[in-house]
Amino acid sequence: MHEAIEYMKRAEIVIKRLLQVLLDKLNVKEIDKENEHMLMGAMRLNFNYYPKCPNPELTAGVGRHSDISTITVLLQDDSGGLFVHREGDITDSWIHVPPVNGALVINVGDVLQIMSNDLYKSVEHRAVPNRNTSRISIPIFVNPEPQALIGPLPQVLESGERPIYKQVKYSDYFSHFFSKPHDGKKAIEFAKLHV
Ligand SMILES: O=C(O)CCC(=O)C(=O)O
Ligand SMILES: [Fe+2]
């Protein structure tokens, strides 16, 4: 428990730095308190356990989805099992994300895609169990506060760009996502302006 708290505290420093760099490209030069509530008002540490399985092809693992976070910081052990979807291919192709000792995987989530009006794209991914070893992965989901309104940032729309998304309350987006089985990047449709 103590280690988990310590990990979150240290990760928070890295997360703030990452968000500063990502938001700088969106013309947000400083992350004020209000933005902080929107970007990282609620952080969740999860533990995923995938027991070894003689027939991984028969299991669901974690089905294809994108995270509904701003970003996700993922620590994985050395067994492997995470795949990301290659966008734009005609065939469905998946790239294995090999475990690298001491490295964290950073996923862009739907919230950052929405706030950036599609400049950043959330990454579709899935995880499968291994035949011979069990696997543990530990994501930190960096989420907005439940009450936060999520939409394209004013700084992004300043140039006259058309908003692709409307403002949605994060808790509504969250409930929508968890009301159905994972289904690729379908959840983001919930926030789309259909004009
Ligand atoms: O186990 C993994 O590597 C990824 C798990 C995942 O995608 C999730 O928890 O959202
Ligand atoms: Fe995920």
Side-chain angles (χ1 to χ4, degrees):
M1 186 64 194
H2 178 73
E3 278 89 350
I5 292 169
E6 199 53 37
Y7 179 64
M8 284 297 261
K9 276 191 190 152
R10 290 187 189 209
E12 192 176 336
I13 299 164
V14 178
I15 288 163
K16 272 197 185 149
R17 191 74 201 101
L18 278 169
L19 288 175
Q20 266 165 2
V21 172
L22 289 162
L23 271 282
D24 187 74
K25 289 277 172 284
L26 302 177
N27 284 325
V28 179
K29 299 300 169 200
E30 201 191 336
I31 299 180
D32 57 20
K33 280 280 161 252
E34 198 184 322
N35 278 341
E36 204 171 291
H37 288 311
M38 234 166 40
L39 294 160
M40 52 181 295
M43 295 205 274
R44 211 176 83 196
L45 183 71
N46 262 31
F47 288 85
N48 297 320
Y49 177 62
Y50 306 88
K52 66 180 172 198
C53 172
N55 288 309
E57 54 289 340
L58 299 180
T59 64
V62 176
R64 57 194 294 173
H65 67 283
S66 51
D67 294 340
I68 58 165
S69 54
T70 306
I71 55 170
T72 304
V73 176
L74 182 91
L75 178 65
Q76 57 173 337
D77 66 15
D78 57 8
S79 45
L82 171 65
F83 292 82
V84 296
H85 191 241
R86 192 200 288 268
E87 290 290 317
D89 271 15
I90 303 163
T91 52
D92 211 23
S93 62
W94 294 87
I95 304 161
H96 184 232
V97 182
V100 175
N101 204 0
L104 297 165
V105 178
I106 313 294
N107 286 337
V108 168
D110 288 356
V111 169
L112 191 55
Q113 176 165 347
I114 294 168
M115 285 183 173
S116 72
N117 208 35
D118 275 359
L119 185 78
Y120 294 123
K121 296 280 171 61
S122 61
V123 65
E124 191 177 342
H125 57 282
R126 64 191 174 93
V128 292
N130 285 300
R131 214 174 283 278
N132 305 314
T133 47
S134 53
R135 171 173 184 259
I136 292 173
S137 73
I138 307 174
I140 299 177
F141 298 105
V142 180
N143 292 339
E145 313 189 295
Q147 297 306 317
L149 279 180
I150 304 308
L153 293 164
Q155 291 89 337
V156 173
L157 301 179
E158 235 161 40
S159 59
E161 194 175 307
R162 246 189 196 208
I164 300 167
Y165 304 97
K166 56 190 174 193
Q167 304 273 332
V168 293
K169 193 156 86 170
Y170 183 65
S171 58
D172 292 340
Y173 194 81
F174 192 94
S175 308
H176 173 77
F177 179 77
F178 284 107
S179 67
K180 298 169 200 278
H182 290 348
D183 188 7
K185 288 192 57 166
K186 283 262 173 65
I188 206 161
E189 297 294 321
F190 180 74
K192 266 197 179 140
L193 275 169
H194 295 281
V195 283

mmCIF file of all heavy atoms in Angstrom, residues 150-187:
data_model
loop_
_atom_site.group_PDB
_atom_site.id
_atom_site.type_symbol
_atom_site.label_atom_id
_atom_site.label_comp_id
_atom_site.label_asym_id
_atom_site.label_seq_id
_atom_site.Cartn_x
_atom_site.Cartn_y
_atom_site.Cartn_z
ATOM 1 N N ILE A 150 -15.715 18.519 -20.667
ATOM 2 C CA ILE A 150 -14.649 18.204 -21.616
ATOM 3 C C ILE A 150 -15.077 18.607 -23.013
ATOM 4 O O ILE A 150 -16.181 18.264 -23.448
ATOM 5 C CB ILE A 150 -14.402 16.671 -21.613
ATOM 6 C CG1 ILE A 150 -14.098 16.188 -20.212
ATOM 7 C CG2 ILE A 150 -13.317 16.264 -22.576
ATOM 8 C CD1 ILE A 150 -13.009 16.938 -19.539
ATOM 9 N N GLY A 151 -14.221 19.317 -23.709
ATOM 10 C CA GLY A 151 -14.502 19.702 -25.095
ATOM 11 C C GLY A 151 -13.232 20.255 -25.708
ATOM 12 O O GLY A 151 -12.224 20.394 -25.012
ATOM 13 N N PRO A 152 -13.250 20.566 -26.994
ATOM 14 C CA PRO A 152 -12.061 21.157 -27.615
ATOM 15 C C PRO A 152 -11.653 22.435 -26.871
ATOM 16 O O PRO A 152 -12.511 23.261 -26.555
ATOM 17 C CB PRO A 152 -12.520 21.466 -29.041
ATOM 18 C CG PRO A 152 -13.669 20.540 -29.280
ATOM 19 C CD PRO A 152 -14.339 20.365 -27.965
ATOM 20 N N LEU A 153 -10.373 22.593 -26.618
ATOM 21 C CA LEU A 153 -9.886 23.745 -25.848
ATOM 22 C C LEU A 153 -10.026 25.034 -26.655
ATOM 23 O O LEU A 153 -9.799 25.030 -27.868
ATOM 24 C CB LEU A 153 -8.407 23.539 -25.496
ATOM 25 C CG LEU A 153 -8.093 22.407 -24.530
ATOM 26 C CD1 LEU A 153 -6.603 22.063 -24.582
ATOM 27 C CD2 LEU A 153 -8.505 22.786 -23.107
ATOM 28 N N PRO A 154 -10.369 26.147 -25.989
ATOM 29 C CA PRO A 154 -10.487 27.423 -26.702
ATOM 30 C C PRO A 154 -9.203 27.776 -27.458
ATOM 31 O O PRO A 154 -9.256 28.311 -28.573
ATOM 32 C CB PRO A 154 -10.763 28.445 -25.598
ATOM 33 C CG PRO A 154 -10.977 27.683 -24.340
ATOM 34 C CD PRO A 154 -10.685 26.240 -24.571
ATOM 35 N N GLN A 155 -8.060 27.444 -26.868
ATOM 36 C CA GLN A 155 -6.772 27.761 -27.517
ATOM 37 C C GLN A 155 -6.603 27.014 -28.835
ATOM 38 O O GLN A 155 -5.880 27.445 -29.725
ATOM 39 C CB GLN A 155 -5.601 27.394 -26.594
ATOM 40 C CG GLN A 155 -5.471 28.269 -25.370
ATOM 41 C CD GLN A 155 -6.283 27.761 -24.182
ATOM 42 O OE1 GLN A 155 -7.250 27.023 -24.329
ATOM 43 N NE2 GLN A 155 -5.887 28.169 -22.990
ATOM 44 N N VAL A 156 -7.260 25.857 -28.934
ATOM 45 C CA VAL A 156 -7.157 25.047 -30.155
ATOM 46 C C VAL A 156 -8.071 25.622 -31.243
ATOM 47 O O VAL A 156 -7.754 25.601 -32.424
ATOM 48 C CB VAL A 156 -7.530 23.571 -29.852
ATOM 49 C CG1 VAL A 156 -7.606 22.740 -31.117
ATOM 50 C CG2 VAL A 156 -6.539 22.961 -28.871
ATOM 51 N N LEU A 157 -9.199 26.172 -30.789
ATOM 52 C CA LEU A 157 -10.196 26.675 -31.751
ATOM 53 C C LEU A 157 -9.943 28.123 -32.163
ATOM 54 O O LEU A 157 -10.609 28.656 -33.044
ATOM 55 C CB LEU A 157 -11.604 26.545 -31.162
ATOM 56 C CG LEU A 157 -12.037 25.122 -30.785
ATOM 57 C CD1 LEU A 157 -13.434 25.134 -30.195
ATOM 58 C CD2 LEU A 157 -11.976 24.168 -31.973
ATOM 59 N N GLU A 158 -8.960 28.753 -31.491
ATOM 60 C CA GLU A 158 -8.654 30.169 -31.711
ATOM 61 C C GLU A 158 -8.443 30.518 -33.193
ATOM 62 O O GLU A 158 -8.845 31.573 -33.663
ATOM 63 C CB GLU A 158 -7.355 30.518 -30.973
ATOM 64 C CG GLU A 158 -7.470 31.668 -30.025
ATOM 65 C CD GLU A 158 -6.325 31.651 -29.022
ATOM 66 O OE1 GLU A 158 -5.177 31.351 -29.428
ATOM 67 O OE2 GLU A 158 -6.599 31.907 -27.828
ATOM 68 N N SER A 159 -7.831 29.596 -33.905
ATOM 69 C CA SER A 159 -7.490 29.847 -35.308
ATOM 70 C C SER A 159 -8.706 29.756 -36.225
ATOM 71 O O SER A 159 -8.582 29.909 -37.434
ATOM 72 C CB SER A 159 -6.449 28.837 -35.758
ATOM 73 O OG SER A 159 -6.989 27.538 -35.604
ATOM 74 N N GLY A 160 -9.878 29.483 -35.658
ATOM 75 C CA GLY A 160 -11.076 29.397 -36.473
ATOM 76 C C GLY A 160 -11.427 27.966 -36.860
ATOM 77 O O GLY A 160 -12.355 27.738 -37.636
ATOM 78 N N GLU A 161 -10.646 27.034 -36.323
ATOM 79 C CA GLU A 161 -10.904 25.616 -36.579
ATOM 80 C C GLU A 161 -12.290 25.227 -36.079
ATOM 81 O O GLU A 161 -12.727 25.678 -35.034
ATOM 82 C CB GLU A 161 -9.831 24.841 -35.802
ATOM 83 C CG GLU A 161 -9.688 23.412 -36.155
ATOM 84 C CD GLU A 161 -8.497 22.803 -35.388
ATOM 85 O OE1 GLU A 161 -7.382 23.352 -35.455
ATOM 86 O OE2 GLU A 161 -8.713 21.783 -34.717
ATOM 87 N N ARG A 162 -12.955 24.372 -36.841
ATOM 88 C CA ARG A 162 -14.287 23.922 -36.449
ATOM 89 C C ARG A 162 -14.243 22.866 -35.359
ATOM 90 O O ARG A 162 -13.491 21.896 -35.489
ATOM 91 C CB ARG A 162 -14.908 23.230 -37.639
ATOM 92 C CG ARG A 162 -16.069 23.923 -38.201
ATOM 93 C CD ARG A 162 -16.654 23.005 -39.197
ATOM 94 N NE ARG A 162 -17.550 23.739 -40.035
ATOM 95 C CZ ARG A 162 -18.579 23.168 -40.607
ATOM 96 N NH1 ARG A 162 -18.799 21.889 -40.445
ATOM 97 N NH2 ARG A 162 -19.365 23.875 -41.354
ATOM 98 N N PRO A 163 -15.043 23.024 -34.297
ATOM 99 C CA PRO A 163 -15.026 21.983 -33.269
ATOM 100 C C PRO A 163 -15.640 20.675 -33.787
ATOM 101 O O PRO A 163 -16.675 20.696 -34.446
ATOM 102 C CB PRO A 163 -15.872 22.562 -32.142
ATOM 103 C CG PRO A 163 -16.682 23.645 -32.750
ATOM 104 C CD PRO A 163 -15.956 24.127 -33.976
ATOM 105 N N ILE A 164 -14.978 19.564 -33.500
ATOM 106 C CA ILE A 164 -15.481 18.241 -33.895
ATOM 107 C C ILE A 164 -16.324 17.655 -32.756
ATOM 108 O O ILE A 164 -17.170 16.814 -32.976
ATOM 109 C CB ILE A 164 -14.282 17.314 -34.233
ATOM 110 C CG1 ILE A 164 -13.473 17.912 -35.384
ATOM 111 C CG2 ILE A 164 -14.730 15.896 -34.579
ATOM 112 C CD1 ILE A 164 -12.110 17.261 -35.610
ATOM 113 N N TYR A 165 -16.064 18.160 -31.552
ATOM 114 C CA TYR A 165 -16.730 17.605 -30.370
ATOM 115 C C TYR A 165 -17.501 18.677 -29.626
ATOM 116 O O TYR A 165 -17.146 19.843 -29.666
ATOM 117 C CB TYR A 165 -15.683 16.972 -29.419
ATOM 118 C CG TYR A 165 -14.866 15.925 -30.108
ATOM 119 C CD1 TYR A 165 -13.610 16.224 -30.643
ATOM 120 C CD2 TYR A 165 -15.349 14.624 -30.264
ATOM 121 C CE1 TYR A 165 -12.860 15.259 -31.305
ATOM 122 C CE2 TYR A 165 -14.612 13.657 -30.918
ATOM 123 C CZ TYR A 165 -13.363 13.980 -31.443
ATOM 124 O OH TYR A 165 -12.644 13.025 -32.101
ATOM 125 N N LYS A 166 -18.539 18.217 -28.921
ATOM 126 C CA LYS A 166 -19.272 19.136 -28.048
ATOM 127 C C LYS A 166 -18.705 19.035 -26.632
ATOM 128 O O LYS A 166 -17.802 18.244 -26.384
ATOM 129 C CB LYS A 166 -20.760 18.785 -28.075
ATOM 130 C CG LYS A 166 -21.053 17.336 -27.681
ATOM 131 C CD LYS A 166 -22.495 16.950 -27.948
ATOM 132 C CE LYS A 166 -22.675 15.468 -27.680
ATOM 133 N NZ LYS A 166 -23.890 14.903 -28.164
ATOM 134 N N GLN A 167 -19.267 19.844 -25.746
ATOM 135 C CA GLN A 167 -18.859 19.778 -24.339
ATOM 136 C C GLN A 167 -19.648 18.647 -23.666
ATOM 137 O O GLN A 167 -20.874 18.633 -23.749
ATOM 138 C CB GLN A 167 -19.205 21.085 -23.616
ATOM 139 C CG GLN A 167 -18.619 22.334 -24.232
ATOM 140 C CD GLN A 167 -17.234 22.612 -23.704
ATOM 141 O OE1 GLN A 167 -16.909 22.234 -22.581
ATOM 142 N NE2 GLN A 167 -16.418 23.258 -24.504
ATOM 143 N N VAL A 168 -18.962 17.743 -23.052
ATOM 144 C CA VAL A 168 -19.668 16.701 -22.294
ATOM 145 C C VAL A 168 -19.105 16.635 -20.879
ATOM 146 O O VAL A 168 -17.931 16.931 -20.649
ATOM 147 C CB VAL A 168 -19.553 15.287 -22.937
ATOM 148 C CG1 VAL A 168 -20.283 15.216 -24.263
ATOM 149 C CG2 VAL A 168 -18.103 14.855 -23.118
ATOM 150 N N LYS A 169 -19.975 16.267 -19.964
ATOM 151 C CA LYS A 169 -19.513 16.116 -18.580
ATOM 152 C C LYS A 169 -18.738 14.798 -18.506
ATOM 153 O O LYS A 169 -19.214 13.773 -19.001
ATOM 154 C CB LYS A 169 -20.710 16.119 -17.623
ATOM 155 C CG LYS A 169 -20.294 16.281 -16.181
ATOM 156 C CD LYS A 169 -21.408 16.854 -15.348
ATOM 157 C CE LYS A 169 -22.284 15.715 -14.897
ATOM 158 N NZ LYS A 169 -23.272 16.033 -13.915
ATOM 159 N N TYR A 170 -17.571 14.842 -17.893
ATOM 160 C CA TYR A 170 -16.728 13.645 -17.896
ATOM 161 C C TYR A 170 -17.432 12.440 -17.279
ATOM 162 O O TYR A 170 -17.319 11.327 -17.789
ATOM 163 C CB TYR A 170 -15.377 13.894 -17.206
ATOM 164 C CG TYR A 170 -14.501 12.672 -17.299
ATOM 165 C CD1 TYR A 170 -14.049 12.240 -18.548
ATOM 166 C CD2 TYR A 170 -14.183 11.914 -16.186
ATOM 167 C CE1 TYR A 170 -13.283 11.084 -18.676
ATOM 168 C CE2 TYR A 170 -13.426 10.757 -16.300
ATOM 169 C CZ TYR A 170 -12.972 10.354 -17.549
ATOM 170 O OH TYR A 170 -12.228 9.202 -17.678
ATOM 171 N N SER A 171 -18.203 12.669 -16.215
ATOM 172 C CA SER A 171 -18.882 11.528 -15.575
ATOM 173 C C SER A 171 -19.888 10.877 -16.532
ATOM 174 O O SER A 171 -20.103 9.665 -16.491
ATOM 175 C CB SER A 171 -19.562 11.946 -14.267
ATOM 176 O OG SER A 171 -20.473 12.972 -14.522
ATOM 177 N N ASP A 172 -20.490 11.684 -17.436
ATOM 178 C CA ASP A 172 -21.409 11.112 -18.431
ATOM 179 C C ASP A 172 -20.641 10.268 -19.453
ATOM 180 O O ASP A 172 -21.096 9.208 -19.867
ATOM 181 C CB ASP A 172 -22.177 12.220 -19.176
ATOM 182 C CG ASP A 172 -23.146 12.953 -18.262
ATOM 183 O OD1 ASP A 172 -23.499 12.390 -17.211
ATOM 184 O OD2 ASP A 172 -23.523 14.090 -18.594
ATOM 185 N N TYR A 173 -19.479 10.774 -19.850
ATOM 186 C CA TYR A 173 -18.635 10.030 -20.803
ATOM 187 C C TYR A 173 -18.205 8.697 -20.190
ATOM 188 O O TYR A 173 -18.255 7.642 -20.820
ATOM 189 C CB TYR A 173 -17.413 10.879 -21.164
ATOM 190 C CG TYR A 173 -16.669 10.369 -22.380
ATOM 191 C CD1 TYR A 173 -17.121 10.661 -23.658
ATOM 192 C CD2 TYR A 173 -15.524 9.589 -22.247
ATOM 193 C CE1 TYR A 173 -16.458 10.187 -24.781
ATOM 194 C CE2 TYR A 173 -14.859 9.107 -23.359
ATOM 195 C CZ TYR A 173 -15.320 9.415 -24.623
ATOM 196 O OH TYR A 173 -14.669 8.939 -25.730
ATOM 197 N N PHE A 174 -17.820 8.771 -18.936
ATOM 198 C CA PHE A 174 -17.364 7.603 -18.178
ATOM 199 C C PHE A 174 -18.487 6.561 -18.081
ATOM 200 O O PHE A 174 -18.288 5.382 -18.371
ATOM 201 C CB PHE A 174 -16.960 8.106 -16.780
ATOM 202 C CG PHE A 174 -16.212 7.120 -15.942
ATOM 203 C CD1 PHE A 174 -14.817 7.124 -15.930
ATOM 204 C CD2 PHE A 174 -16.879 6.215 -15.138
ATOM 205 C CE1 PHE A 174 -14.107 6.228 -15.139
ATOM 206 C CE2 PHE A 174 -16.181 5.314 -14.340
ATOM 207 C CZ PHE A 174 -14.785 5.328 -14.344
ATOM 208 N N SER A 175 -19.683 7.020 -17.719
ATOM 209 C CA SER A 175 -20.828 6.097 -17.583
ATOM 210 C C SER A 175 -21.159 5.478 -18.932
ATOM 211 O O SER A 175 -21.478 4.296 -19.010
ATOM 212 C CB SER A 175 -22.080 6.812 -17.092
ATOM 213 O OG SER A 175 -21.790 7.531 -15.955
ATOM 214 N N HIS A 176 -21.091 6.288 -19.975
ATOM 215 C CA HIS A 176 -21.390 5.774 -21.311
ATOM 216 C C HIS A 176 -20.407 4.654 -21.670
ATOM 217 O O HIS A 176 -20.794 3.587 -22.127
ATOM 218 C CB HIS A 176 -21.301 6.910 -22.330
ATOM 219 C CG HIS A 176 -21.422 6.445 -23.749
ATOM 220 N ND1 HIS A 176 -22.636 6.109 -24.301
ATOM 221 C CD2 HIS A 176 -20.479 6.223 -24.700
ATOM 222 C CE1 HIS A 176 -22.436 5.701 -25.543
ATOM 223 N NE2 HIS A 176 -21.142 5.755 -25.812
ATOM 224 N N PHE A 177 -19.129 4.906 -21.432
ATOM 225 C CA PHE A 177 -18.088 3.916 -21.768
ATOM 226 C C PHE A 177 -18.317 2.603 -21.028
ATOM 227 O O PHE A 177 -18.212 1.526 -21.601
ATOM 228 C CB PHE A 177 -16.711 4.497 -21.434
ATOM 229 C CG PHE A 177 -15.556 3.560 -21.706
ATOM 230 C CD1 PHE A 177 -15.110 3.368 -23.009
ATOM 231 C CD2 PHE A 177 -14.905 2.906 -20.672
ATOM 232 C CE1 PHE A 177 -14.032 2.526 -23.272
ATOM 233 C CE2 PHE A 177 -13.828 2.058 -20.927
ATOM 234 C CZ PHE A 177 -13.392 1.873 -22.230
ATOM 235 N N PHE A 178 -18.633 2.710 -19.747
ATOM 236 C CA PHE A 178 -18.772 1.487 -18.949
ATOM 237 C C PHE A 178 -20.168 0.860 -19.036
ATOM 238 O O PHE A 178 -20.426 -0.158 -18.406
ATOM 239 C CB PHE A 178 -18.359 1.734 -17.493
ATOM 240 C CG PHE A 178 -16.868 1.797 -17.339
ATOM 241 C CD1 PHE A 178 -16.222 2.997 -17.114
ATOM 242 C CD2 PHE A 178 -16.096 0.647 -17.479
ATOM 243 C CE1 PHE A 178 -14.828 3.060 -17.002
ATOM 244 C CE2 PHE A 178 -14.706 0.690 -17.369
ATOM 245 C CZ PHE A 178 -14.073 1.905 -17.128
ATOM 246 N N SER A 179 -21.052 1.458 -19.843
ATOM 247 C CA SER A 179 -22.384 0.871 -19.980
ATOM 248 C C SER A 179 -22.400 -0.218 -21.054
ATOM 249 O O SER A 179 -23.378 -0.915 -21.232
ATOM 250 C CB SER A 179 -23.403 1.954 -20.342
ATOM 251 O OG SER A 179 -23.140 2.449 -21.644
ATOM 252 N N LYS A 180 -21.291 -0.351 -21.803
ATOM 253 C CA LYS A 180 -21.229 -1.328 -22.903
ATOM 254 C C LYS A 180 -19.916 -2.096 -22.830
ATOM 255 O O LYS A 180 -18.955 -1.603 -22.232
ATOM 256 C CB LYS A 180 -21.222 -0.576 -24.252
ATOM 257 C CG LYS A 180 -22.435 0.252 -24.520
ATOM 258 C CD LYS A 180 -22.137 1.112 -25.746
ATOM 259 C CE LYS A 180 -23.039 2.300 -25.832
ATOM 260 N NZ LYS A 180 -24.303 2.176 -26.363
ATOM 261 N N PRO A 181 -19.877 -3.263 -23.516
ATOM 262 C CA PRO A 181 -18.565 -3.931 -23.620
ATOM 263 C C PRO A 181 -17.616 -3.057 -24.448
ATOM 264 O O PRO A 181 -18.080 -2.257 -25.269
ATOM 265 C CB PRO A 181 -18.874 -5.233 -24.374
ATOM 266 C CG PRO A 181 -20.349 -5.322 -24.508
ATOM 267 C CD PRO A 181 -20.945 -3.981 -24.220
ATOM 268 N N HIS A 182 -16.300 -3.217 -24.244
ATOM 269 C CA HIS A 182 -15.321 -2.448 -25.026
ATOM 270 C C HIS A 182 -15.538 -2.689 -26.512
ATOM 271 O O HIS A 182 -15.737 -3.816 -26.940
ATOM 272 C CB HIS A 182 -13.899 -2.896 -24.682
ATOM 273 C CG HIS A 182 -13.468 -2.494 -23.304
ATOM 274 N ND1 HIS A 182 -14.169 -1.601 -22.544
ATOM 275 C CD2 HIS A 182 -12.396 -2.860 -22.572
ATOM 276 C CE1 HIS A 182 -13.530 -1.448 -21.397
ATOM 277 N NE2 HIS A 182 -12.461 -2.199 -21.380
ATOM 278 N N ASP A 183 -15.500 -1.634 -27.283
ATOM 279 C CA ASP A 183 -15.715 -1.791 -28.719
ATOM 280 C C ASP A 183 -14.869 -0.785 -29.498
ATOM 281 O O ASP A 183 -15.378 0.189 -30.058
ATOM 282 C CB ASP A 183 -17.216 -1.620 -29.024
ATOM 283 C CG ASP A 183 -17.555 -1.961 -30.469
ATOM 284 O OD1 ASP A 183 -16.675 -2.446 -31.197
ATOM 285 O OD2 ASP A 183 -18.705 -1.717 -30.877
ATOM 286 N N GLY A 184 -13.587 -1.016 -29.497
ATOM 287 C CA GLY A 184 -12.681 -0.157 -30.263
ATOM 288 C C GLY A 184 -12.796 1.288 -29.823
ATOM 289 O O GLY A 184 -12.768 1.589 -28.628
ATOM 290 N N LYS A 185 -12.956 2.188 -30.804
ATOM 291 C CA LYS A 185 -13.021 3.607 -30.472
ATOM 292 C C LYS A 185 -14.436 4.162 -30.596
ATOM 293 O O LYS A 185 -14.624 5.355 -30.824
ATOM 294 C CB LYS A 185 -12.031 4.383 -31.361
ATOM 295 C CG LYS A 185 -10.577 4.133 -30.954
ATOM 296 C CD LYS A 185 -9.598 5.089 -31.610
ATOM 297 C CE LYS A 185 -9.910 6.534 -31.336
ATOM 298 N NZ LYS A 185 -8.818 7.441 -31.676
ATOM 299 N N LYS A 186 -15.415 3.322 -30.409
ATOM 300 C CA LYS A 186 -16.824 3.753 -30.544
ATOM 301 C C LYS A 186 -17.220 4.805 -29.511
ATOM 302 O O LYS A 186 -18.045 5.673 -29.803
ATOM 303 C CB LYS A 186 -17.762 2.546 -30.385
ATOM 304 C CG LYS A 186 -17.849 1.642 -31.599
ATOM 305 C CD LYS A 186 -19.092 1.962 -32.452
ATOM 306 C CE LYS A 186 -19.095 1.193 -33.751
ATOM 307 N NZ LYS A 186 -19.221 -0.260 -33.537
ATOM 308 N N ALA A 187 -16.649 4.724 -28.309
ATOM 309 C CA ALA A 187 -17.103 5.595 -27.221
ATOM 310 C C ALA A 187 -17.012 7.075 -27.580
ATOM 311 O O ALA A 187 -17.866 7.871 -27.192
ATOM 312 C CB ALA A 187 -16.317 5.309 -25.947
#
